[in-house]
Amino acid sequence: MKIIDIENWNRKEHFHFFSHMASPYFGFTTEVECSRMYEYAKDLGHSFFAAYMHASMAAANRVDELKLRILDGQVVLYDTVHAGTTIGRADGTFGFAYIPFSEDFHTFNEVLQQEIEEVRNSTGLRMNNGELGKDLIRHSTIPWNSFSALLHPTPLDKTESVPKITFGKFSIRDQRKFLPVSVEAHHGLADGFHLSKYLGEFQELLNR
């Protein structure tokens, strides 16, 4: 973890400007094409959810601005950020899962599947399982619907700086699959350029 020297940071004014706002968050919703990743996952017998979750985390770890956090009054850059995600249960509730990131899909997926099983055999939110950490990306999936906009709950804490990424149900057009993606981050730490960079990296990984 590296502490950013704010006074000599090229985002100094951006950081202070947006950090004074009651809601300093910025985001948008778009689509990525997921046809090749979907077929690849199915051919190998993997969960499509696991495949695109791993690709999302690999993409996020390529963008430093998505690894910046506000911590104890300082801006810090984590070497690696990990995956936090919601997992649904049969009773209609959900719990939080935490998956340490690994570049190796099989290592990542093994822990993800363990977490899914533990969530499904538990109750409540599992708030003690990494949710309060800062070195993660909060993911959610809405598998029942596609969407073109999304609203997140927020405590309006100006130091809340963990990015949020949400996926929906893919749609099919011209025999191609498109996955809706909502990305949100603290605007003092990241701009549209950086969110678009994540999406570009994500699309590249989905195309493999």
Side-chain angles (χ1 to χ4, degrees), residues 5 45 57 69 109 140 168 170 189:
D5 178 5
M57 283 307 310
R69 300 292 183 270
N109 188 40
S140 296
F170 66 74
L189 305 178

Side-chain angles (χ1 to χ4, degrees), residues 21-187:
M21 295 185 176
S23 178
Y25 310 107
F26 167 77
F28 58 87
T29 300
T30 186
E31 292 180 320
V32 290
E33 187 185 354
C34 60
S35 308
R36 292 183 66 177
M37 178 64 78
Y38 180 85
E39 296 303 325
Y40 173 79
K42 295 306 177 185
D43 286 347
L44 294 180
H46 297 314
S47 157
F48 177 50
F49 167 70
Y52 72 67
M53 177 67 66
H54 182 260
S56 175
M57 283 307 310
N61 272 291
R62 294 180 181 181
V63 182
D64 279 353
E65 288 75 13
L66 295 185
K67 298 189 289 183
L68 291 170
R69 300 292 183 270
I70 302 170
L71 189 65
D72 298 327
Q74 296 179 309
V75 176
V76 302
L77 172 64
Y78 283 103
D79 295 328
T80 303
V81 290
H82 307 287
T85 188
T86 56
I87 301 296
R89 301 188 182 96
D91 66 358
T93 66
F94 70 87
F96 293 114
Y98 177 80
I99 307 95
F101 177 66
S102 170
E103 288 284 352
D104 179 67
F105 170 76
H106 298 286
T107 300
F108 179 86
N109 188 40
E110 183 177 358
V111 178
L112 173 60
Q113 298 309 316
Q114 292 171 357
E115 284 284 282
I116 290 173
E117 189 66 20
E118 289 184 19
V119 170
R120 290 176 175 171
N121 288 287
S122 66
T123 59
L125 289 173
R126 296 178 85 230
M127 290 289 288
N128 62 337
N129 195 42
E131 170 59 12
L132 298 179
K134 295 283 189 178
D135 60 338
L136 51 77
I137 304 284
R138 293 195 179 104
H139 288 82
S140 296
T141 298
I142 303 172
W144 313 279
N145 299 95
S146 183
F147 56 78
S148 57
L150 187 76
L151 178 65
H152 284 291
T154 175
L156 296 181
D157 175 358
K158 298 174 186 180
T159 67
E160 172 51 53
S161 52
V162 177
K164 301 181 181 72
I165 300 175
T166 304
F167 305 105
K169 180 181 179 181
F170 66 74
S171 58
I172 302 175
R173 298 192 302 274
D174 299 325
Q175 299 182 326
R176 298 161 67 197
K177 296 178 176 65
F178 295 89
L179 187 71
V181 186
S182 169
V183 191
E184 180 182 296
H186 191 295
H187 210 346

